[in-house]
Amino acid sequence: MIEDKNQARTPLSELGEFGLIDHLTKQFEIKHTSTVKSIGDDAAVLEFSNKQIVVTTDMLVEGVHFDLSYVPLKHLGYKSVIVNLSDVYAMNAQATQVTVSIAVSNRFPLEALEALYEGVALASKIYNIDVVGGDTTSSTSGLLISVTAIGEVNPEDAVYRTGAKPNDLLVVTGDLGGAYMGLQVLEREKEVFKVNPNNQPDLDAYTYIMERQLKPEARKDIVKLLKDLDVKPTSMIDVSDGLSSEILHICKASKVGCDLYEDKLPLDPQVISTCEEFNIDSTTVVLNGGEDYELLMTISQKDFPKIKANPNLTVIGYITDESVGANLVTRGDTKIPLQAQGWKNFNS
Amino acid sequence: MIEDKNQARTPLSELGEFGLIDHLTKQFEIKHTSTVKSIGDDAAVLEFSNKQIVVTTDMLVEGVHFDLSYVPLKHLGYKSVIVNLSDVYAMNAQATQVTVSIAVSNRFPLEALEALYEGVALASKIYNIDVVGGDTTSSTSGLLISVTAIGEVNPEDAVYRTGAKPNDLLVVTGDLGGAYMGLQVLEREKEVFKVNPNNQPDLDAYTYIMERQLKPEARKDIVKLLKDLDVKPTSMIDVSDGLSSEILHICKASKVGCDLYEDKLPLDPQVISTCEEFNIDSTTVVLNGGEDYELLMTISQKDFPKIKANPNLTVIGYITDESVGANLVTRGDTKIPLQAQGWKNFNS
């Protein structure tokens, strides 16, 4: 888990900026006809006929969003693309291109950037994305990755945060809380490693939640599923900051309230057992943990028959009038207002 | 020149991430019909009918690209947009949208980010750009700004680096070397300030070159001028890294050589006098200085009558066969091969 620091080390200064960009980007093939011109000019040139395009951008900062003592660089490159694709899919759009910019201090050798770009290349292959540009520059300390993702959508298919209506169902994909609990395990093992570097941790009980943290996936499959089911959500958002925060975004943008049912929250057994081990309330983790990159959507009641049997989609509540507010209905059947940064307030 | 550090200080933690984004972006108005959805969803949504779109991205890093001891934050916000617009204009395209992402340590108060965004807002107003998204995150040290610019162009109008042909004229806009010499003056004054903070420098002799460094402009006007003159360059690039590097990019991409004439290089009188004062060769400054954000283009000989009287355009050489290489023809009429990182090699 802990990276081997004694690998081949080629100083970045050996290549120079242009040599570095050439070296790192030569592996990228063009897959989309919408990519007219990729890396190698002042700007990429794209052409989308009769489509709207979506644009989103996110940064990952060392020491804030990741800790290189347990995040392999290849995983980090992969994740930096995924978190942006997730925003594209949350618009019900298809991701088509990304730009990847990196600021890096000279403590990183070329091989480290190669590993990072391997992850970028893998994500772009699996998700069928063209890497069309970027910037590589030095930093005075640490590593920062800034990705912009571009996608296309038929104008009638785009889904915003603004369309939720009272009585719509609140639906989430997959399960929640895994990425946060994976992080807790990694943080604990880091402390153990500091005390005893020869300790070989047995992490078999945490493989799923560690993968949720280190190698998250974006729900491209859900965009296809919704199309196949002939369901257009009334609103959608990706779950990057914790369920509570995302629900509040939809409620604010759509001017509605909601009732979220605690007993409906989808939890993987590993999340439940690890929460017990760490003595953390799993509902708190789901509401405030973040980084699950599932999709949260609202769906009209009339579409319920189309989704009810689907194992990818869980109904976790419904939309109410704005005056009622956004609430969690607990297992004990009491209502608690949802809070965006509710960790401290909610932890009992 | 040196920033007053004793202004009002509102800690960023008072607002939280979403409050901060709302606060900083509420001033941005939408100007383009191509902006369907701006800030406030998972992604911006854009629509360009019958146009190609261009996408470019650049990062500015504290301690690498700027020094806050003499760069006002408002200027920095302005410049972070300009350097990206310059890449859009270098495609012969119109810039329409930007996303602006900022990583910032908590040593910066809210008022600092407000100043930065004032500069972003000013650039977007002057250049008629919509700010459609971004990301605001903390950093462990320093300030980093990552901007992605989007533009539109008729497919037949896009100009790449690849189209230069032997006998084409090598043409540059404006004058060169100012931004670099402005930086030299600012660096010198910083040292003077360290020794005697009460010293009031007389900078009247350097106003133009300091402005070239602190508040550069992008040549949107040239895209319009070329259209008015009915001239489509055979290739184009913006001069961000120094003329030598940009010429070599065009020669490499177009598989051509060139002869660049030292005595044709456009120099402002302040550049000449400041180079004399600092005992630096002005040709070296032009070739390797960078940050001028002028446009370098190649133009077919048949278009020469259309451009020859124009004060914005200077013919500085011509394209040759690839086998001849890219050369500087000195005032003494000797040929020296151009080098991308020629500062050390070329300085005599």
Side-chain angles (χ1 to χ4, degrees):
Chain A
M1 187 174 71
I2 307 298
E3 223 192 337
D4 175 13
K5 302 289 188 192
N6 300 314
Q7 297 158 340
R9 295 181 66 91
T10 309
L12 294 180
S13 54
E14 264 188 26
L15 287 95
E17 183 188 342
F18 301 121
L20 182 62
I21 292 172
D22 282 351
H23 179 80
L24 294 173
T25 61
K26 66 187 173 195
Q27 64 188 314
F28 296 123
E29 279 171 32
I30 301 305
K31 308 172 193 83
H32 289 277
T33 54
S34 59
T35 305
V36 178
K37 174 79 187 185
S38 183
I39 293 164
D41 216 297
D42 292 273
V45 178
L46 314 177
E47 184 162 8
F48 301 88
S49 52
N50 305 317
K51 300 271 190 179
Q52 289 182 337
I53 69 164
V54 303
V55 179
T56 182
T57 189
D58 257 316
M59 289 198 291
L60 297 182
V61 182
E62 184 179 358
V64 178
H65 299 101
F66 57 88
D67 181 334
L68 288 176
S69 64
Y70 51 76
V71 177
L73 283 158
K74 184 176 174 183
H75 284 56
L76 182 63
Y78 191 87
K79 184 170 179 174
S80 71
V81 174
I82 294 302
V83 302
N84 279 278
L85 300 187
S86 181
D87 280 321
V88 172
Y89 301 136
M91 303 303 290
N92 205 28
Q94 282 302 332
T96 44
Q97 287 91 6
V98 291
T99 66
V100 179
S101 294
I102 293 177
V104 61
S105 76
N106 58 13
R107 79 177 155 95
F108 291 86
L110 175 63
E111 289 73 14
L113 289 196
E114 285 175 342
L116 193 75
Y117 267 81
E118 261 180 59
V120 169
L122 184 61
S124 69
K125 186 178 173 193
I126 292 176
Y127 287 84
N128 195 34
I129 308 293
D130 291 340
V131 181
V132 297
D135 191 15
T136 306
T137 183
S138 54
S139 82
T140 48
S141 73
L143 176 64
L144 184 147
I145 309 170
S146 179
V147 173
T148 297
I150 294 165
E152 59 176 34
V153 63
N154 292 319
E156 65 275 18
D157 292 337
V159 174
Y160 297 92
R161 298 178 181 177
T162 49
K165 295 275 180 293
N167 299 318
D168 284 354
L169 300 170
L170 192 62
V171 175
V172 75
T173 63
D175 56 75
L176 298 171
Y180 181 83
M181 290 315 297
L183 182 62
Q184 302 316 304
V185 171
L186 288 162
E187 291 279 357
R188 183 179 67 182
E189 293 309 319
K190 181 185 172 185
E191 294 307 312
V192 170
F193 181 84
K194 277 188 199 166
V195 175
N196 178 7
N198 294 318
N199 180 63
Q200 286 295 320
D202 179 6
L203 297 171
D204 286 354
Y206 313 109
T207 48
Y208 175 69
I209 59 174
M210 281 172 52
E211 182 150 329
R212 292 287 280 176
Q213 170 60 226
L214 292 174
K215 191 166 174 290
E217 302 293 348
R219 300 307 304 258
K220 180 182 183 179
D221 59 326
I222 299 298
V223 177
K224 182 175 185 303
L225 175 69
L226 290 169
K227 199 180 173 78
D228 292 347
L229 294 175
D230 192 29
V231 171
K232 183 186 172 186
T234 55
S235 71
M236 191 152 61
I237 188 171
D238 78 320
V239 184
S240 53
D241 294 317
L243 186 63
S244 184
S245 168
E246 314 307 354
I247 288 176
L248 289 168
H249 279 309
I250 284 184
C251 286
K252 186 180 173 191
S254 295
K255 299 188 174 61
V256 293
C258 84
D259 279 355
L260 169 70
Y261 289 85
E262 185 178 19
D263 63 355
K264 301 294 185 192
L265 296 177
L267 297 168
D268 184 84
Q270 265 190 20
V271 172
I272 297 171
S273 62
T274 313
C275 281
E276 283 170 2
E277 185 186 340
F278 279 73
N279 198 24
I280 305 179
D281 178 51
S282 62
T283 301
T284 309
V285 167
V286 167
L287 291 180
N288 302 290
E291 294 199 285
D292 287 316
Y293 302 108
E294 298 293 343
L295 295 174
L296 174 73
M297 64 193 87
T298 55
I299 289 180
S300 171
Q301 294 266 3
K302 73 172 169 51
D303 286 329
F304 179 62
K306 298 179 188 170
I307 66 155
K308 71 175 176 184
N310 199 290
N312 288 291
L313 304 170
T314 306
V315 178
I316 55 175
Y318 58 89
I319 298 299
T320 60
D321 193 75
E322 187 178 19
S323 61
V324 186
N327 300 289
L328 176 73
V329 182
T330 68
R331 287 191 189 86
D333 208 26
T334 56
K335 281 195 182 186
I336 301 173
L338 286 174
Q339 296 183 321
Q341 297 175 333
W343 183 267
K344 282 179 202 153
N345 302 315
F346 193 67
N347 208 351
S348 58
Chain B
M1 186 175 72
I2 307 297
E3 222 193 337
D4 174 13
K5 301 289 189 193
N6 300 314
Q7 298 159 340
R9 295 180 66 92
T10 309
L12 293 180
S13 54
E14 264 188 28
L15 287 96
E17 184 187 342
F18 301 121
L20 181 62
I21 293 173
D22 283 351
H23 179 80
L24 293 173
T25 60
K26 66 187 175 196
Q27 64 188 314
F28 296 124
E29 279 171 33
I30 301 305
K31 309 173 193 82
H32 290 277
T33 54
S34 58
T35 305
V36 179
K37 174 81 188 183
S38 181
I39 293 164
D41 218 297
D42 293 272
V45 178
L46 313 177
E47 185 161 7
F48 302 89
S49 51
N50 306 316
K51 300 271 189 178
Q52 289 182 337
I53 69 165
V54 303
V55 179
T56 180
T57 190
D58 256 316
M59 289 199 289
L60 297 182
V61 182
E62 184 179 358
V64 177
H65 300 101
F66 57 88
D67 181 335
L68 288 176
S69 65
Y70 53 75
V71 177
L73 283 158
K74 183 176 175 181
H75 284 56
L76 182 63
Y78 190 88
K79 185 170 178 174
S80 71
V81 174
I82 295 302
V83 302
N84 280 278
L85 301 188
S86 181
D87 280 320
V88 171
Y89 302 137
M91 304 302 291
N92 204 30
Q94 282 303 331
T96 44
Q97 287 91 5
V98 291
T99 65
V100 179
S101 293
I102 294 177
V104 60
S105 75
N106 59 12
R107 80 176 154 95
F108 291 88
L110 175 63
E111 288 73 15
L113 289 196
E114 285 175 342
L116 193 76
Y117 268 80
E118 261 181 60
V120 170
L122 184 63
S124 69
K125 186 179 173 191
I126 291 176
Y127 287 85
N128 195 33
I129 309 293
D130 291 340
V131 181
V132 298
D135 191 14
T136 306
T137 185
S138 54
S139 81
T140 49
S141 72
L143 176 64
L144 183 147
I145 310 170
S146 179
V147 174
T148 297
I150 294 166
E152 59 177 33
V153 63
N154 291 319
E156 65 274 19
D157 292 337
V159 175
Y160 297 91
R161 297 178 181 176
T162 49
K165 295 275 179 295
N167 298 318
D168 285 353
L169 299 170
L170 192 63
V171 174
V172 75
T173 63
D175 56 75
L176 299 171
Y180 181 83
M181 291 316 296
L183 182 62
Q184 304 315 305
V185 171
L186 288 163
E187 291 278 359
R188 183 179 67 182
E189 294 309 318
K190 180 185 172 184
E191 295 306 314
V192 170
F193 180 84
K194 276 186 197 165
V195 176
N196 178 8
N198 294 317
N199 181 63
Q200 286 294 323
D202 179 6
L203 298 172
D204 285 354
Y206 313 109
T207 49
Y208 175 70
I209 59 175
M210 280 172 52
E211 183 149 331
R212 293 286 280 177
Q213 171 59 225
L214 292 175
K215 192 167 174 290
E217 303 293 348
R219 299 307 305 256
K220 180 182 182 178
D221 59 325
I222 298 297
V223 177
K224 181 175 185 300
L225 175 70
L226 290 169
K227 198 180 173 76
D228 292 347
L229 293 176
D230 191 30
V231 172
K232 183 184 172 185
T234 54
S235 71
M236 189 151 62
I237 188 171
D238 79 319
V239 184
S240 52
D241 294 316
L243 186 63
S244 184
S245 168
E246 315 306 355
I247 289 176
L248 289 168
H249 278 309
I250 283 184
C251 287
K252 187 180 172 191
S254 295
K255 298 188 173 61
V256 294
C258 84
D259 279 354
L260 169 69
Y261 288 84
E262 184 178 21
D263 64 356
K264 301 292 185 193
L265 296 176
L267 297 167
D268 184 86
Q270 266 190 18
V271 172
I272 296 171
S273 61
T274 312
C275 280
E276 284 170 2
E277 184 186 339
F278 279 73
N279 199 24
I280 305 179
D281 178 51
S282 62
T283 301
T284 309
V285 167
V286 168
L287 292 179
N288 302 291
E291 294 199 285
D292 287 316
Y293 302 107
E294 297 294 342
L295 295 175
L296 174 72
M297 64 193 88
T298 55
I299 288 179
S300 170
Q301 293 266 3
K302 73 173 169 49
D303 287 329
F304 179 62
K306 299 179 187 172
I307 66 154
K308 70 175 175 184
N310 198 291
N312 288 291
L313 303 171
T314 306
V315 178
I316 55 175
Y318 58 89
I319 298 300
T320 59
D321 194 74
E322 187 178 18
S323 61
V324 186
N327 299 289
L328 177 73
V329 182
T330 68
R331 289 192 188 86
D333 208 26
T334 55
K335 281 196 183 187
I336 301 174
L338 286 174
Q339 295 182 320
Q341 297 175 329
W343 184 265
K344 284 179 202 154
N345 301 317
F346 192 67
N347 208 349
S348 58

